[in-house]
Amino acid sequence: MNIRSRKTLVAAIAALALPGAALAHSYTYVEGGFVDRDNDFVDDSGFRIAGSGQIARQFALIGEYADTDRFEQLSVGGQFFGPINAEMDWTAGATIEFADVGFDDDTGYGLRGGLRWRFARAFELHPEIRHYDVFDNGETSLRVAGLFDIDPNLSIQAALQGGDDDRFEAGIRYSFAPGVRR
């Protein structure tokens, strides 16, 4: 890569990180509900709870716990985010993964990146690529979550994830600091 290409790449990354517009979404919330999961470890249903707490202008702590009887997974980490325009934010995160299958447990890592897009006032779509590695087994999936606002703080949430870790989720989300409503 030549110097001009490096400068262009650095400028593009810096432009994404700079706050150009107000964030369109809340990054302080708790959500949970039903999960049906099919991966290398389990094909079963259970529950999940997840949350995010914004601690800086463009950074939040994130966590998720899912239990489908034989397979439990706890994800804890951080997520960077920033505005692309008034309706869309980019996200990128990393987690430490704790997994338990029967009497075996392992610790690994996770990576994720995606977009959060608010449209038609009460709807949000969140496409994302997720990867985690536990028990020396990497699982990569494409996930699309959707939310429908019941009121400024409460939303119905559903997600479909396909790839190495297939999931269907349905539940609710409570936002402690609602995002911008247009």
Side-chain angles (χ1 to χ4, degrees):
M1 182 182 293
N2 64 32
I3 293 175
R4 180 178 223 161
S5 297
R6 281 189 214 145
K7 286 181 180 180
T8 303
L9 179 61
V10 170
I13 292 170
L16 283 175
L18 293 173
L23 293 169
H25 307 281
S26 169
Y27 289 89
T28 303
Y29 60 83
V30 65
E31 67 184 27
F34 170 82
V35 62
D36 183 72
R37 194 166 190 180
D38 182 6
N39 61 23
D40 289 342
F41 307 110
V42 69
D43 183 2
D44 206 354
S45 298
F47 73 93
R48 72 178 277 277
I49 186 165
S52 174
Q54 185 172 348
I55 61 170
R57 181 172 175 84
Q58 293 183 275
F59 183 77
L61 297 177
I62 57 174
E64 178 180 9
Y65 174 75
D67 185 347
T68 53
D69 194 30
R70 293 185 340 230
F71 182 63
E72 293 178 68
Q73 183 177 6
L74 173 65
S75 306
V76 178
Q79 184 173 51
F80 289 97
F81 48 85
I84 293 174
N85 61 37
E87 291 84 27
M88 189 178 300
D89 295 345
W90 60 268
T91 64
T95 54
I96 298 172
E97 302 289 330
F98 304 96
D100 188 355
V101 180
F103 295 108
D104 293 328
D105 58 39
D106 192 28
T107 302
Y109 70 92
L111 300 170
R112 61 182 71 189
L115 301 171
R116 289 184 69 185
W117 176 41
R118 176 162 294 286
F119 63 97
R121 189 168 178 91
F123 292 95
E124 176 184 327
L125 279 180
H126 185 187
E128 184 176 49
I129 295 174
R130 286 190 174 186
H131 174 82
Y132 70 91
D133 192 307
V134 292
F135 298 106
D136 294 322
N137 186 35
E139 305 266 322
T140 303
S141 300
L142 176 62
R143 173 186 173 86
V144 178
L147 289 109
F148 174 73
D149 295 341
I150 297 171
D151 74 23
N153 295 88
L154 190 63
S155 302
I156 297 171
Q157 181 263 345
L160 188 59
Q161 184 169 315
D164 296 327
D165 184 13
D166 296 335
R167 293 187 193 192
F168 169 75
E169 301 170 3
I172 59 170
R173 174 185 287 182
Y174 183 83
S175 294
F176 295 96
V180 176
R181 302 289 191 257
R182 300 210 181 316

